[in-house]
Amino acid sequence: DAESELHAALCKEVDGYCTFPAVVTLDHDLESCTGLECQVDTVRTVELVNGFNYEYVRRPCVHQAFYEDAKIIKSRKRRNRIPRFMCANPGVDDAQAACCKNSRPERAWREQSYFGERVVFETAKARCAARDRFEMCIEPDSLNVRDCELGACENDGFYWADLAEGCTLQAKIREDGRVAVVHSQTSQENLSTVVDHVGEDTKSFFVVNWNDRSGLSELLGNCGTPESICTKTEDESCLCPVEVVSKPAFEASSLPTSSTEVLDLPYAAIGVPALEFKNGSVTVHTSGTVDIDAVFQVTDHTGKTCYRKNLLSTVFIRTTALSFLNPIHMISVAEPNVRDVLAETEEAINQLFHNTNTAPFIAIRMAQRFGVSNPSPRYVNEIATAFRMGRYSFAGESYGSGKYGNLGATIAAVLLDSEARDSLLDADPYHGSVREPLIKVLHVMRALDFKADPAAPYPILKNMASRIKQMAHAIPNVFSFFKPEFEADGVIASSSLVSPEAAAHNTPEIINLCNGLISLIKYGLVNCADNFGTTLAGHKSRCSGRKRGRFKDGSSGHLTFSMPEGDADSVVNKLATLLTSGRLNQHSRGIIKDSYLNAGPEEGPVKAQELIVTTAEFHTTGTTTKDGDDRPTLSLPPATARGYKATIFVMLAGGIDSFNIVTPHTCDNNLVDQYERERRSVMLSREEREKHVIDAEGQPCTKFSVHPDFNFVAKLYEEGELAFYMNTGVLDSNETTKENYREVTPTGLFAHNLMQNEAKRGDPFLEQPRTGYLGRLCDVLASKFGYQPGTLGINGGSVALVGNEAATRSPTVVNENGAKPFDPSNGGITRDAIALNAQNNLARSNVFGEWWSDRFNRGLNEVELFANILSETTLSNQVPDYKLSQRFASLAKIIQTKDDRRSDRDVFAVTMGGFDTHSNMKPRTSALFKELDNSLEFLKAELVEQDLWDKATIVLVSDFGRTLTPNNNEGTDHAWAGNYAVMGGSVKGGQALGKYPDDLTASSYLNVGRGRFMPTTPWEGIWKPVAEWMAQGDGLDPLTESDLRKIMPKYDIFKSSLYSWEDLFK
């Protein structure tokens, strides 16, 4: 109607003409309606008299999970489709009106004001009553809607019915106290089926706030007994009748006066009544009386305006005092849609964004990314305050909008605070950071005026992610390039500091980074001498004919910085300013000056640049002071005559779905049925479970199935060279139960970084911080037995290899492609680079700078050793085309060098990622399992050729197992215990150690929720027998309990239940 208030709002008249903008936002409720507008409960689309159409995007509704006086809504009869029903809130417009002639459901007609209209129950009833000889359908049978010709009923959803018997909502309660909603209506038996997500077998559980946990335990304990009002479901949950009681949270005589009182109310409000008045800092909105529809308005600590309903809605278990607050949601149960999903997701993000922990969390991460790895509490508070207030003031200038979360203010605080700017802090031995690898490459290109060749205006830096472990838009996983809590080895760790960027500075990355920078400085961007660049088409890529600083012959870009005129001191000082912010110490400047003078005026300036990019002051943000002594070079121990053993630790990173690695096959109980019922869409089919069937004694099943893609793994088990560890993982107490597990487990459960660390370290009480199982084992092997152990990471470091002794504090890391030499173009800078990173005066040097110099020199020693000895190694088998196979190939070559390295005991760490399968778990794990299986087969073949298969033990573990039950994306989520494997020629295989769960249902004493199973065997159950086997040798005593405590800080907690070497080895 052109005269209506709604038409005027959409018209947006200008100079007498309607403009009809594409989007119209109503800033207040319209006070009047005209004609048809007054007859509908809500609108979906609006057609204006002149033909314009608008879609109404309403504000999201907040629904309660439980409600009283529920009414049934049903789908209509359709050919070859079973009608569905559910119990709807009569006050919500969830369904259509359909009216039955003479109460006969087979003769029903829709009663709607517009296509697709939804109405509340009373509107539907009134419309039918107003129609001659019609009424709302009251028969239990489904409607046969007669006016559905020509697609009129497409997407029609549900229809209201007015059955004599009411619709019932029940609470389905799981052992962990989580609740799901179940709808039922007895008259619908054999007539229609309840909607899946509110049926009795629903898995849609959510957390509720119980008023009495002990009363809940009693209720669950008595569930299903004659005395209980609740019944057991097929999945062992407890189904209870409920009653909803709603009342005002505050009466008119005792209204809240502070934001704290209001923000504790559970229900948010979106719209507000028209009347308002102030009560202290609270604005009260009412329709005339302070009832459950009143709304309180306050401002929270972030400056956000918040609305809360004056409502307390409590769900009681009938005939008991047990209750919980009625949960809310924004997604309609009857008609879920993308709009509501986005609204609920946005609100969840808002809750996190405004959480009190968000500001300091952001502050620490920002400080770390801008050069302060260990920011002081004062600095963190300054940044967090700027984030919260949205404003930061400095030197009379104000930054930010004054709005919570403003990043302009936040970054201003990060960069302008004295902790970021004061050059005096450069002398603080604990201040600063190791710089990010990619930042250093870009620093050189910008400071020394990189210019791209016109033929390649957008230069390509190739393979950066694999070479230096960092490249823009190429993060390796959702956790980015390095963990903020990473504890580097050596002097940084011993200072109890963190250094995130150090995780990307193992020997291979250090050599690759320095080589790439040196080659860039010498030749520009070309494809030779470990350069980062590419050579232009039509030009040779060889570096042999190129000369230092002569940027010709096809470089795709080069550095154009012009050296200052004057003496060598001027040149070195200018470079020190550009590349180290002037922090380069005088001793190092002298070395670079001498090299500059010796090289002559043409090559000297370039050589000076090459040397500066090897210094600690370039790679870190602190200063160092030299004491003049050279660092010790790598010296090998005397040759050993003892026999050799190796442990290969394979971390399957991301959390492997191990419920499909071994699955129940032949069981005395109903474990197979439970597996199928709980796993559902992600279970292995019965056909898949028949491919590899293994025997297992002492387990709840006499036979298990091995994943069909684990052909080699199953073969090893059958041949007696592989043992499974069932239901194994991190445990911190031998009295852990599903009721107390959070209280007795200091390890942060279900988090990748925390649980993966514990799988490697086993030290949640920090008795031997920053060390791992295998590093501590090597400490004992060396100090007590005189073994000469090697600790080696393949393509990355691992805290599992770090020990307390000097020899094990910094494990060696070798790239999967072998060891590359430093400065492969032989530019004659190695001796000076070593001198630039000589021994520092530790009392007067920054720990990050000292760490760099130590790692750089040790890296040069390592690559020299490994480049020489690996050149003599060969492989006997074709390497499969997998990343893990490439890493195993590198490992197999290194094992060949045991005599050259004088090693009689080796521990290796290898990582295979990709197991974080939150979606499409089955196809993704199938590909991963094939890679793992083929790679293991290749590794065994190589070890057999070296006659070392019976001298090597391979341990496969993961961060954690995954949930038994699937999520909505055909994936599984973070859990706890998993099923793992130990293999080798000396392993007593063909057996399953640990204990597979004898109950896979939600009520299992091991199931802590969502199919997350508590371990029955701790990690120590693997490491104790492995440690004992590694220590064995002719005439040597076995490990004592004192030794085992050094290796496993939690040994005394579990010692009576741990396996010995005889249980796992032949």
Side-chain angles (χ1 to χ4, degrees):
D1 191 321
E3 301 303 317
S4 75
E5 186 180 3
L6 176 59
H7 184 279
L10 299 176
C11 165
K12 295 290 182 184
E13 184 177 314
V14 176
D15 296 331
Y17 294 94
C18 289
T19 59
F20 296 121
V23 177
V24 176
T25 300
L26 301 178
D27 55 10
H28 64 278
D29 290 341
L30 302 183
E31 297 180 358
S32 64
C33 58
T34 304
L36 181 62
E37 298 169 10
C38 304
Q39 301 171 22
V40 299
D41 293 333
T42 186
V43 296
R44 292 196 168 191
T45 59
V46 176
E47 181 179 359
L48 278 65
V49 291
N50 44 15
F52 283 94
N53 288 272
Y54 280 91
E55 177 188 3
Y56 174 53
V57 182
R58 73 179 184 187
R59 301 171 91 175
C61 293
V62 179
H63 304 276
Q64 292 182 321
F66 293 89
Y67 33 86
E68 288 291 296
D69 194 29
K71 301 295 183 181
I72 192 169
I73 56 176
K74 300 187 64 176
S75 62
R76 63 183 170 87
K77 282 186 176 179
R78 299 187 189 185
R79 184 177 299 175
N80 300 324
R81 290 191 188 181
I82 300 174
R84 299 285 188 131
F85 81 91
M86 60 175 292
C87 303
N89 186 335
V92 177
D93 50 351
D94 271 341
Q96 296 191 67
C99 307
C100 289
K101 191 171 186 178
N102 301 323
S103 302
R104 296 170 61 184
E106 71 273 13
R107 304 191 65 183
W109 276 263
R110 292 174 299 123
E111 184 65 41
Q112 61 181 19
S113 299
Y114 60 87
F115 178 77
E117 182 189 19
R118 303 294 190 266
V119 297
V120 300
F121 176 79
E122 288 300 331
T123 299
K125 191 171 184 178
R127 287 188 182 178
C128 291
R131 190 169 178 174
D132 186 34
R133 290 185 297 167
F134 280 82
E135 63 181 346
M136 185 178 283
C137 301
I138 60 174
E139 295 293 328
D141 201 3
S142 295
L143 306 179
N144 184 9
V145 180
R146 306 299 295 270
D147 55 341
C148 283
E149 64 278 358
L150 300 177
C153 294
E154 288 299 316
N155 302 314
D156 55 348
F158 291 98
Y159 295 87
W160 290 106
D162 191 16
L163 305 189
E165 182 179 348
C167 217
T168 303
L169 273 67
Q170 296 172 284
K172 181 180 178 181
I173 311 170
R174 215 165 59 178
E175 279 288 319
D176 60 359
R178 295 191 180 211
V179 168
V181 184
V182 173
H183 294 189
S184 62
Q185 222 277 356
T186 55
S187 71
Q188 295 306 299
E189 189 172 349
N190 300 321
L191 292 178
S192 63
T193 303
V194 67
V195 174
D196 290 343
H197 50 269
V198 290
E200 188 172 310
D201 62 348
T202 179
K203 302 292 183 184
S204 299
F205 290 93
F206 44 84
V207 175
V208 299
N209 296 312
W210 289 97
N211 67 330
D212 181 3
R213 298 297 296 193
S214 61
L216 173 63
S217 298
E218 183 179 351
L219 177 85
L220 295 175
N222 294 328
C223 187
T225 65
E227 298 79 21
S228 176
I229 195 172
C230 305
T231 59
K232 282 278 189 182
T233 61
E234 284 190 11
D235 61 2
E236 298 298 314
S237 295
C238 195
L239 190 63
C240 302
V242 297
E243 178 183 7
V244 181
V245 176
S246 298
K247 64 179 183 179
F250 294 94
E251 300 293 342
S253 60
S254 58
L255 292 176
T257 59
S258 69
S259 61
T260 303
E261 294 174 273
V262 171
L263 293 173
D264 282 341
L265 292 175
Y267 304 115
I270 296 175
V272 297
L275 302 178
E276 68 176 65
F277 62 89
K278 295 286 288 187
N279 192 59
S281 63
V282 180
T283 301
V284 183
H285 300 266
T286 74
S287 298
T289 59
V290 180
D291 54 16
I292 61 174
D293 293 320
V295 173
F296 302 121
Q297 175 186 336
V298 295
T299 302
D300 69 5
H301 71 285
T302 70
K304 177 186 176 185
T305 301
C306 301
Y307 300 90
R308 294 288 188 273
K309 287 200 74 171
N310 184 32
L311 172 65
L312 280 181
S313 180
T314 308
V315 182
F316 286 88
I317 306 300
R318 286 190 184 274
T319 73
T320 76
L322 197 61
S323 67
F324 55 86
L325 284 174
N326 199 350
I328 60 172
H329 55 91
M330 291 181 175
I331 301 172
S332 168
V333 178
E335 288 193 306
N337 57 75
V338 173
R339 177 200 64 204
D340 292 344
V341 171
L342 293 175
E344 188 159 314
T345 302
E346 182 69 22
E347 187 54 38
I349 293 172
N350 274 332
Q351 293 295 318
L352 294 174
F353 180 56
H354 289 90
N355 188 282
T356 54
N357 290 323
T358 298
F361 177 89
I362 295 291
I364 293 171
R365 299 301 185 272
M366 287 293 187
Q368 288 184 324
R369 294 283 58 78
F370 282 91
V372 184
S373 290
N374 300 270
S376 69
R378 184 208 58 80
Y379 187 29
V380 171
N381 185 59
E382 284 290 312
I383 303 170
T385 300
F387 182 88
R388 283 192 294 262
M389 304 305 295
R391 185 82 65 190
Y392 183 76
S393 297
F394 177 80
E397 293 288 336
S398 182
Y399 301 88
S401 63
K403 185 177 179 180
Y404 173 86
N406 181 268
L407 289 181
T410 306
I411 296 301
V414 171
L415 298 178
L416 297 176
D417 186 86
S418 59
E419 195 157 328
R421 295 183 305 105
D422 196 336
S423 60
L424 290 177
L425 289 173
D426 290 342
D428 182 341
Y430 306 112
H431 181 72
S433 68
V434 176
R435 300 174 66 207
E436 296 182 43
L438 185 60
I439 294 295
K440 291 182 281 196
V441 175
L442 298 179
H443 179 185
V444 169
M445 296 176 74
R446 298 181 72 174
L448 301 182
D449 298 334
F450 175 84
K451 182 179 180 181
D453 188 280
Y458 304 105
I460 296 172
L461 302 178
K462 64 181 190 297
N463 302 324
M464 302 293 275
S466 61
R467 294 178 65 193
I468 66 171
K469 293 293 190 287
Q470 193 177 34
M471 183 55 187
H473 315 298
I475 58 172
N477 50 54
V478 296
F479 306 103
S480 195
F481 301 102
F482 19 74
K483 299 172 184 175
E485 72 277 7
F486 181 78
E487 298 172 321
D489 54 23
V491 66
I492 296 177
S494 63
S495 301
S496 298
L497 301 176
V498 300
S499 179
E501 300 82 2
H505 285 80
N506 296 299
T507 294
E509 294 90 61
I510 287 173
I511 299 303
N512 285 333
L513 177 61
C514 289
N515 284 351
L517 290 173
I518 291 167
S519 183
L520 167 65
I521 291 167
K522 279 183 181 179
Y523 309 124
L525 284 181
V526 291
N527 188 25
C528 63
D530 262 0
N531 202 286
F532 296 133
T534 56
T535 305
L536 295 178
H539 295 269
K540 295 180 180 179
S541 293
R542 295 194 307 270
C543 279
S544 56
R546 298 176 184 270
K547 292 188 177 181
R548 178 178 271 132
R550 294 186 181 180
F551 308 116
K552 297 179 180 180
D553 301 329
S555 68
S556 52
H558 62 273
L559 307 176
T560 64
F561 176 72
S562 298
M563 291 297 165
E565 296 182 3
D567 57 16
D569 286 322
S570 300
V571 172
V572 173
N573 290 338
K574 181 67 173 180
L575 292 174
T577 299
L578 290 172
L579 296 175
T580 72
S581 300
R583 290 177 284 104
L584 189 64
N585 64 70
Q586 292 302 317
H587 179 79
S588 296
R589 294 182 194 225
I591 293 173
I592 296 170
K593 173 186 174 182
D594 290 344
S595 182
Y596 171 94
L597 293 173
N598 291 334
E602 185 175 351
E603 293 194 358
V606 180
K607 196 170 185 181
Q609 296 170 44
E610 296 171 34
L611 287 172
I612 283 188
V613 298
T614 69
T615 63
E617 286 83 356
F618 172 75
H619 289 277
T620 69
T621 62
T623 59
T624 60
T625 301
K626 303 299 177 187
D627 65 8
D629 295 332
D630 292 334
R631 292 181 183 272
T633 57
L634 181 65
S635 60
L636 295 174
T640 175
R642 289 180 168 178
Y644 177 80
K645 287 183 181 179
T647 294
I648 302 166
F649 173 71
V650 182
M651 170 54 67
L652 306 172
I656 194 169
D657 191 293
S658 63
F659 274 117
N660 279 1
I661 293 179
V662 283
T663 62
H665 183 276
T666 305
C667 314
D668 294 334
N669 52 23
N670 62 344
L671 218 54
V672 174
D673 292 337
Q674 291 176 9
Y675 168 82
E676 293 179 346
R677 187 166 61 243
E678 298 294 328
R679 286 246 95 179
R680 290 175 286 163
S681 60
V682 296
M683 73 175 183
L684 294 178
S685 68
R686 296 191 176 185
E687 181 181 359
E688 289 173 317
R689 282 179 268 149
E690 290 301 323
K691 184 174 181 181
H692 301 304
V693 180
I694 60 172
D695 296 319
E697 295 182 1
Q699 298 291 339
C701 301
T702 57
K703 293 182 183 294
F704 285 88
S705 301
V706 177
H707 193 280
D709 291 315
F710 273 144
N711 299 308
F712 177 69
V713 167
K715 179 183 176 184
L716 277 185
Y717 184 91
E718 294 291 355
E719 292 177 350
E721 294 182 336
L722 180 146
F724 284 113
Y725 266 82
M726 304 293 206
N727 205 51
T728 298
V730 59
L731 279 173
D732 297 336
S733 168
N734 61 359
E735 297 180 351
T736 307
T737 67
K738 65 186 297 182
E739 290 76 28
N740 72 359
Y741 73 94
R742 289 195 181 275
E743 289 75 27
V744 301
T745 307
T747 299
L749 295 175
F750 319 131
H752 287 288
N753 55 341
L754 301 177
M755 290 191 75
Q756 190 178 122
N757 267 347
E758 278 312 298
K760 299 172 182 178
R761 292 162 53 156
D763 187 21
F765 306 105
L766 301 180
E767 294 180 21
Q768 300 185 63
R770 298 172 294 279
T771 62
Y773 284 114
L774 294 174
R776 297 189 296 263
L777 169 61
C778 288
D779 287 343
V780 173
L781 294 178
S783 62
K784 178 172 181 175
F785 298 101
Y787 286 116
Q788 297 172 183
T791 54
L792 302 108
I794 306 299
N795 210 51
S798 172
V799 71
L801 305 175
V802 178
N804 289 300
E805 303 301 324
T808 57
R809 282 182 198 147
S810 299
T812 298
V813 175
V814 179
N815 191 277
E816 60 195 25
N817 299 317
K820 291 183 178 180
F822 174 69
D823 189 20
S825 60
N826 296 317
I829 67 167
T830 302
R831 180 179 297 176
D832 287 336
I834 291 173
L836 288 169
N837 289 282
Q839 197 74 45
N840 289 317
N841 183 323
L842 297 184
R844 300 173 61 191
S845 294
N846 182 274
V847 294
F848 299 102
E850 164 59 21
W851 180 86
W852 164 264
S853 293
D854 178 66
R855 287 305 303 251
F856 177 80
N857 271 288
R858 189 157 51 83
L860 264 58
N861 286 327
E862 288 174 355
V863 295
E864 182 179 6
L865 168 67
F866 281 98
N868 291 331
I869 61 178
L870 287 176
S871 64
E872 303 298 324
T873 61
T874 58
L875 296 174
S876 303
N877 299 273
Q878 180 69 33
V879 182
D881 189 19
Y882 297 112
K883 283 187 176 179
L884 183 61
S885 299
Q886 296 290 338
R887 292 169 188 173
F888 281 165
S890 184
L891 185 152
K893 288 183 176 181
I894 293 171
I895 286 186
Q896 287 184 44
T897 69
K898 58 184 176 58
D899 294 334
D900 294 314
R901 293 182 288 110
R902 315 285 199 267
S903 178
D904 48 27
R905 291 292 185 273
D906 275 334
V907 292
F908 296 89
V910 185
T911 297
M912 176 185 177
F915 289 96
D916 195 21
T917 50
H918 289 286
S919 61
N920 302 316
M921 184 275 289
K922 282 193 69 178
R924 290 172 63 188
T925 54
S926 176
L928 292 165
F929 288 176
K930 288 174 183 175
E931 175 175 354
L932 178 58
D933 196 65
N934 288 323
S935 298
L936 288 169
E937 186 173 18
F938 162 76
L939 180 57
K940 179 191 173 178
E942 284 299 321
L943 294 175
V944 168
E945 287 292 332
Q946 296 179 37
D947 196 27
L948 292 176
W949 175 239
D950 62 341
K951 298 174 179 62
T953 295
I954 304 168
V955 179
L956 302 181
V957 303
S958 189
D959 324 14
F960 40 65
R962 303 192 78 81
T963 52
L964 176 65
T965 55
N967 58 31
N968 293 329
N969 294 316
E970 302 298 319
T972 50
D973 300 320
H974 301 184
W976 195 349
N979 304 310
Y980 305 110
V982 178
M983 64 195 75
S986 293
V987 170
K988 188 187 294 182
Q991 62 170 333
L993 302 176
K995 195 74 172 180
Y996 194 88
D998 56 10
D999 181 358
L1000 295 177
T1001 67
S1003 62
S1004 168
Y1005 73 100
L1006 296 174
N1007 190 341
V1008 300
R1010 258 299 317 276
R1012 294 182 172 101
F1013 281 76
M1014 190 172 66
T1016 46
T1017 299
W1019 291 127
E1020 288 74 12
I1022 295 176
W1023 293 119
K1024 178 176 179 282
V1026 169
E1028 291 173 335
W1029 175 76
M1030 285 285 283
Q1032 287 176 347
D1034 292 340
L1036 296 177
D1037 294 329
L1039 291 174
T1040 64
E1041 288 201 339
S1042 176
D1043 298 326
L1044 292 169
R1045 288 188 191 98
K1046 292 177 183 177
I1047 298 167
M1048 297 171 290
K1050 293 185 290 183
Y1051 170 73
D1052 283 334
I1053 297 175
F1054 304 109
K1055 66 179 181 180
S1056 62
S1057 61
L1058 299 180
Y1059 295 108
S1060 68
W1061 75 270
E1062 294 98 332
D1063 297 312
L1064 183 58
F1065 292 94
K1066 298 168 184 173

